[in-house]
Amino acid sequence: MKKTVRGKEYDTMEMSVVKKVVSGCFGDPAGYEETLLVAEDGTYFLYTNGGEESPYKEEKLVSMTKAKVEAWKKANA
């Protein structure tokens, strides 16, 4: 997935995975995944995707501040 943030294009295929959280299994309508990614320039992103009954009904890539990254890591420790 590619996304432009502040005029710069980022590609999830070129980012490093910091941590991945999966709820449910493939095909579960309530299942979802959250993947914390970091780009080469140090920018963090949260990739989310899930089933029709999940909090993430569509695929998204959202940039995150360092404070939000730390809070997400703490919540998913």
Side-chain angles (χ1 to χ4, degrees):
M1 171 181 240
K2 293 182 180 181
K3 181 172 182 165
T4 302
V5 177
R6 290 181 229 113
K8 184 171 180 179
E9 185 173 88
Y10 293 92
D11 185 348
T12 57
M13 298 302 288
E14 297 175 2
M15 295 180 192
S16 299
V17 174
V18 176
K19 183 169 184 159
K20 184 173 189 170
V21 175
V22 177
S23 175
C25 59
F26 185 78
D28 179 358
Y32 64 88
E33 67 179 80
E34 297 178 329
T35 307
L36 182 61
L37 303 162
V38 63
E40 192 173 290
D41 68 359
T43 304
Y44 285 89
F45 293 89
L46 187 64
Y47 167 82
T48 57
N49 195 17
E52 287 297 316
E53 297 173 15
S54 77
Y56 307 112
K57 295 178 178 90
E58 59 186 56
E59 185 179 47
K60 285 189 180 178
L61 184 65
V62 178
S63 62
M64 297 182 66
T65 63
K66 289 190 181 194
K68 286 185 180 183
V69 167
E70 291 306 317
W72 186 89
K73 284 182 181 178
K74 196 174 195 180
N76 291 286

